[in-house]
Amino acid sequence: MRIISIGDLVIDFYYKNGKLVGVDGGMTSHNIIANIAKLGLETSVYGVCGNDMAGTVAIGSLKEAGTNIDNVKIIEDLNTRCFHVSQQELNGKLEFVSKKRCPICNEKRWYDESKIETNDILKQINKDDILVFDNLNKKNQIIIDNCDNRKMLDLGQYFELENYSDNDIIEKIKNKFDFINLNERVEKYLKNRFSIKSLEDIYNILNPKMIIVTRGKKGSDFVFSNNKVNKELSSPSIEVDSTGAGDAFFGMFISEYIKNDYIVDHKFIDSTFEKAIKLTKKVVKKYGARGHIKNLYKIKKENNMCICSNFEISLRKQIKRCNINVNNLETRIINAINSSAYNKLVKIDFENLNNSIFVGTGGSFAGAKFSSKVINHLYGSNTIALYPRDLYYRNNNNVDAVFMFTYSGTTNDLLVSTSLIDNKRKYIITKGELQKVVTKTGISKNNIISYRTGINKGKERGFLSFEGALAPSSLFLKLYFEKNEKNDVEVFIRESINYWKDYFDKYFKNNKKKLKEFLKEKNCFNIFTGDFTESAGSDLESKIVESGIYNCLVHEKKNFSHGRFINYEHLSHNKNIYFKQKTTSLYEVKLLEYLEKGQNLIIESRYDGILCEYDLLIASQYLIYYISNFLNIDISKPTYNEDAMKIYFYKGEL
């Protein structure tokens, strides 16, 4: 199921007090779709534009919003439609004027009849697609009349209707839309046109499932099943630019309608109105209908022509959180192992801890898993790595110590899962500020192992944790080195980072054709792990899934032989990421021979044992980093639904 916007693409020029502020993609139905895409639903655009710079902006802005643009047709020698939105402040009040003519040169870059191909679009629409329209031109009407899909109409202008009789208007609209969204101008026009008095009368004539009238700061009216609901706006936001607020508002209602199984009732309107207002408050604080999604494109004039007819894009400076986090990784790790956190770590009496649990969530789980292996290897004690919820449902009476791995130091899941365990048996490995963690958790500062320092305060931003996985692991690696290795742990860490950085840099440069096939959109990878490769496998699976770009199946190498190959042969794309030690076991030889028929990315350490476990954990960070660069996306800033944050911020029983 897709939500599809249909119509010619438009570029909007935005002016403030006569000066161009920037440009962006426009058109009401496409703006609605851009908002729905950011709410996490699958969207697509069926439309046309020219092969000019305006077309490039119109397409690019939709793609950046997360909308599929594969069905946008680019027409040679066509000028993409341009719209001009001017903002002026008069007597302390903002006024907006929207025109098809440039306010500077008075030129009009607009064609009237739509260029879309109705037959092509009708052939490509799936039965469960939902269609969004913002006008009733002849070509749109052909599509509306010739498919049974659910349809949404945002009718912001009435000039098209003036050429039709009353019966024609009714025939064009009646019984054809789930939602019809109007503004007050169109509402007034329809009342006068049909000589009626109320919004309920309009509803009864056009018979949608619901009709909405947006009234700006006064709120909105809704009519459904002959029920009228008025929702007032309690605290209007200070406006920078109201352009696009209605589009976002309607987009939220479409999105929530789908999630509510197409049911409209009072509860649906109440909850969705609150979400829609919350979104529109973000919209009006930014210039442009999509300014809350991405900043406006800055452009510069070419030659002596008006900027509306010949311009270049001043490319947006895209700062990727993923890049920042990886580029700072080495410095942060070295600072961590040289911090006072290590002094606290070595004072723990691991030798007399018979049963220890290492617990973490998200990216921190890889750090917990690696650290548990180090302690088991060094002392032979029973160690296990768990997620918080698994720990929560265990009997932990005979557990000697619990080590919590949490970047913030106050992760609610960890605190709840360990609430019945005595604080003396709990340790926190974190980058959180010591006193804040002590205050929040009630755990002694001696048991808070924080690698935050005066020169190492900066924290990662984004969904993916790099430092959160590696810094705690590095502290335990240093413990391993001091017990077993003569070499310098700092030298080993730097060398491992440089090796994998160089390895993947060359690999991604030299295998572009292979990787283009391997890294296809919506792929599913088989990750093979086990022995001393578990931390890397766990970390990579977490990062790939949290980035939202692919899915993964994780296979323990030997467990794969107990029937998991059936799924592999029948349902898998046979695309494999295989972590391995330096030494290849006899079983692995057979397994790798079997996997040869698929597409394989084999990541092999130059070490065995604990050193391999850490080395491949470094490799995992750089693999996901180079995938991000190859795809030219920032995987640390994935698209997700606002509702997901309810479970993300959930606090309480697990």
Side-chain angles (χ1 to χ4, degrees), residues 356-370:
S356 300
I357 293 177
F358 293 71
V359 58
T361 190
S364 294
F365 183 69
K369 186 175 281 287
F370 174 80

Side-chain angles (χ1 to χ4, degrees), residues 444-620:
S444 166
K445 65 179 181 180
N446 294 324
N447 287 19
I448 309 293
I449 302 169
S450 175
Y451 47 92
R452 176 187 173 100
T453 68
I455 60 170
N456 190 28
K457 292 180 180 178
K459 296 184 74 173
E460 293 178 330
R461 296 183 59 122
F463 261 63
L464 302 191
S465 176
F466 296 88
E467 183 185 13
L470 271 175
S473 302
S474 303
L475 288 167
F476 282 82
L477 179 72
K478 185 173 181 179
L479 188 68
Y480 171 83
F481 262 71
E482 296 210 349
K483 297 276 186 182
N484 285 279
E485 295 286 330
K486 294 181 181 178
N487 296 330
D488 187 337
V489 64
E490 189 171 321
V491 172
F492 177 83
I493 292 171
R494 292 186 191 276
E495 193 275 335
S496 182
I497 287 174
N498 290 330
Y499 174 82
W500 288 112
K501 191 188 299 184
D502 183 60
Y503 176 88
F504 285 118
D505 186 61
K506 289 177 181 176
Y507 187 87
F508 276 75
K509 283 179 181 176
N510 297 334
N511 295 277
K512 289 182 180 178
K513 187 175 181 181
K514 175 183 174 181
L515 286 164
K516 193 172 183 181
E517 174 64 26
F518 191 69
L519 297 173
K520 276 191 171 177
E521 189 178 1
K522 296 184 179 178
N523 208 348
C524 184
F525 289 114
N526 297 286
I527 298 178
F528 289 85
T529 183
D531 45 64
F532 287 93
T533 67
E534 285 185 296
S535 301
S538 170
D539 180 72
L540 185 65
E541 187 270 348
S542 175
K543 284 181 166 58
I544 287 177
V545 171
E546 287 185 32
S547 69
I549 51 174
Y550 302 118
N551 213 335
C552 302
L553 290 172
V554 179
H555 306 287
E556 197 286 322
K557 295 169 186 175
K558 189 63 183 73
N559 192 45
F560 180 76
S561 72
H562 291 273
R564 293 179 74 90
F565 52 78
I566 297 171
N567 174 284
Y568 180 83
E569 292 186 1
H570 290 277
L571 299 177
S572 169
H573 292 126
N574 296 346
K575 296 187 177 183
N576 312 313
I577 300 174
Y578 193 102
F579 288 106
K580 72 178 296 293
Q581 299 187 87
K582 178 182 178 181
T583 301
T584 309
S585 69
L586 292 176
Y587 170 73
E588 277 191 302
V589 171
K590 296 292 184 185
L591 177 57
L592 288 167
E593 285 176 358
Y594 171 79
L595 296 175
E596 277 182 356
K597 60 185 179 183
Q599 291 178 279
N600 297 297
L601 174 54
I602 299 173
I603 305 170
E604 182 175 337
S605 177
R606 297 151 297 151
Y607 307 96
D608 290 320
I610 292 294
L611 296 185
C612 167
E613 188 92 24
Y614 183 87
D615 186 50
L616 290 181
L617 190 53
I618 294 276
S620 174

Side-chain angles (χ1 to χ4, degrees), residues 118-311:
T118 56
N119 289 337
D120 289 346
I121 293 174
L122 284 167
K123 288 176 185 176
Q124 295 178 69
I125 292 173
N126 301 321
K127 288 183 179 180
D128 61 349
D129 289 334
I130 296 172
L131 312 184
V132 179
F133 300 90
D134 62 13
N135 64 72
L136 298 169
N137 65 42
K138 291 179 181 178
K139 291 194 174 181
N140 278 358
Q141 196 69 48
I142 290 171
I143 296 170
I144 291 166
D145 294 340
N146 287 279
C147 68
D148 296 325
N149 299 66
R150 291 183 184 273
K151 308 175 191 78
M152 308 289 172
L153 176 64
D154 189 303
L155 198 58
Q157 301 289 343
Y158 55 79
F159 63 89
E160 290 174 338
L161 305 180
E162 293 178 326
N163 297 321
Y164 297 97
S165 69
D166 290 358
N167 287 335
D168 287 339
I169 293 173
I170 293 171
E171 187 178 345
K172 286 168 75 68
I173 303 176
K174 188 173 183 178
N175 298 321
K176 293 179 181 176
F177 298 95
D178 280 32
F179 289 176
I180 298 176
N181 189 43
L182 308 176
N183 57 34
E184 291 178 291
R185 294 190 306 274
V186 178
E187 177 196 28
K188 183 179 179 181
Y189 172 81
L190 291 173
K191 285 179 180 178
N192 292 334
R193 180 67 187 259
F194 293 115
S195 301
I196 54 179
K197 295 182 178 180
S198 69
L199 182 59
E200 293 95 316
D201 292 333
I202 298 176
Y203 173 84
N204 290 327
I205 290 173
L206 302 181
N207 200 34
K209 193 164 185 177
M210 181 169 71
I211 196 164
I212 306 171
V213 177
T214 52
R215 306 189 186 282
K217 294 182 179 181
K218 292 180 285 185
S220 301
D221 286 336
F222 305 85
V223 179
F224 67 97
S225 302
N226 289 315
N227 296 301
K228 184 178 180 182
V229 177
N230 171 254
K231 301 295 290 184
E232 294 184 356
L233 197 58
S234 57
S235 55
S237 183
I238 298 173
E239 292 183 358
V240 172
D241 179 4
S242 62
T243 309
D247 304 338
F249 185 91
F250 195 36
M252 180 62 79
F253 267 88
I254 295 171
S255 175
E256 292 299 303
Y257 176 57
I258 295 165
K259 296 171 192 174
N260 203 44
D261 294 326
Y262 309 107
I263 296 170
V264 176
D265 53 23
H266 288 276
K267 183 179 178 182
F268 164 76
I269 291 173
D270 290 345
S271 64
T272 306
F273 182 78
E274 293 303 316
K275 292 176 182 178
I277 292 303
K278 186 177 178 180
L279 176 58
T280 57
K281 285 182 177 181
K282 293 180 182 178
V283 176
V284 299
K285 291 177 182 177
K286 297 280 188 177
Y287 274 108
R290 302 181 204 163
H292 61 296
I293 297 173
K294 287 280 188 179
N295 291 331
L296 296 178
Y297 289 88
K298 301 297 181 182
I299 64 175
K300 52 186 178 182
K301 185 165 64 172
E302 270 215 333
N303 304 324
N304 295 318
M305 303 173 71
C306 182
I307 201 165
C308 75
S309 58
N310 198 4
F311 64 86

Side-chain angles (χ1 to χ4, degrees), residues 343-458:
N343 299 330
K344 287 186 177 182
L345 187 67
V346 295
K347 291 178 181 178
I348 298 173
D349 188 11
F350 289 107
E351 199 153 0
N352 289 311
L353 297 178
N354 295 317
N355 297 294
S356 300
I357 293 177
F358 293 71
V359 58
T361 190
S364 294
F365 183 69
K369 186 175 281 287
F370 174 80
S371 303
S372 71
K373 288 198 170 191
V374 170
I375 298 306
N376 171 258
H377 182 87
L378 291 178
Y379 302 101
S381 54
N382 179 34
T383 63
I384 185 171
L386 294 174
Y387 290 110
R389 200 163 183 269
D390 293 328
L391 174 66
Y392 186 71
Y393 286 101
R394 283 171 45 95
N395 182 330
N396 299 303
N397 287 338
N398 291 322
V399 172
D400 298 318
V402 175
F403 296 88
M404 294 182 275
F405 291 72
T406 159
Y407 197 52
S408 67
T410 57
T411 302
N412 186 72
D413 289 1
L414 275 80
L415 300 183
V416 172
S417 68
T418 60
S419 58
L420 298 179
I421 299 172
D422 191 283
N423 278 353
K424 293 178 181 178
R425 292 189 283 154
K426 293 190 285 195
Y427 297 85
I428 296 180
I429 295 87
T430 182
K431 200 179 184 179
E433 190 176 336
L434 180 62
Q435 193 52 52
K436 286 184 179 179
V437 177
V438 170
T439 302
K440 175 78 175 180
T441 66
I443 295 173
S444 166
K445 65 179 181 180
N446 294 324
N447 287 19
I448 309 293
I449 302 169
S450 175
Y451 47 92
R452 176 187 173 100
T453 68
I455 60 170
N456 190 28
K457 292 180 180 178

Side-chain angles (χ1 to χ4, degrees), residues 14-21 86-88 103-104:
Y14 291 94
Y15 307 84
K16 182 179 180 182
N17 295 326
K19 184 179 179 181
L20 183 70
V21 177
S86 299
Q87 181 196 84
Q88 291 184 322
I104 298 172

